[in-house]
Amino acid sequence: GAYRATQALTNRSEARQVADIGAGGANFGDMLRQAVGDVSRQGQAMETKALAYAGGKADVVDVVTAVAETQATFETVVALRDKVISAYEEIMKMPI
């Protein structure tokens, strides 16, 4: 359920309204959508491996690896979020 909710975030129309950044024209909204999608996909893979392990069809090493990969990706997304919030707060402190 939580991974489906995360996946729904990638499809929100507001994310598509974020302006282009950088000289290459990379869209920040697309980059963010991809990062959230990666967390969602890794979470689903982890969930699948955990269920397979519970059914006796997977190795515990595979499950632990999937959990660690999902955690690392999630921590990266959280760090990115924190940096964006920090940058926004700094911009708001600037005099006009």
Side-chain angles (χ1 to χ4, degrees), residues 43-96:
Q44 289 172 345
M46 182 222 27
E47 194 172 280
T48 301
K49 288 182 182 186
L51 290 173
Y53 176 73
K57 298 178 182 176
D59 188 23
V60 71
V61 174
D62 293 336
V63 176
V64 171
T65 302
V67 169
E69 288 174 353
T70 302
Q71 181 179 1
T73 303
F74 184 73
E75 288 174 356
T76 301
V77 170
V78 169
L80 175 65
R81 180 209 58 189
D82 292 345
K83 289 289 187 179
V84 168
I85 290 172
S86 176
Y88 174 78
E89 289 172 345
E90 287 296 318
I91 290 170
M92 294 307 293
K93 290 178 187 176
M94 290 181 181
I96 296 178

Side-chain angles (χ1 to χ4, degrees), residues 24-40:
N27 188 308
F28 181 74
D30 289 340
M31 290 176 6
L32 186 60
R33 196 173 310 110
Q34 179 183 358
V36 171
D38 288 347
V39 171
S40 178

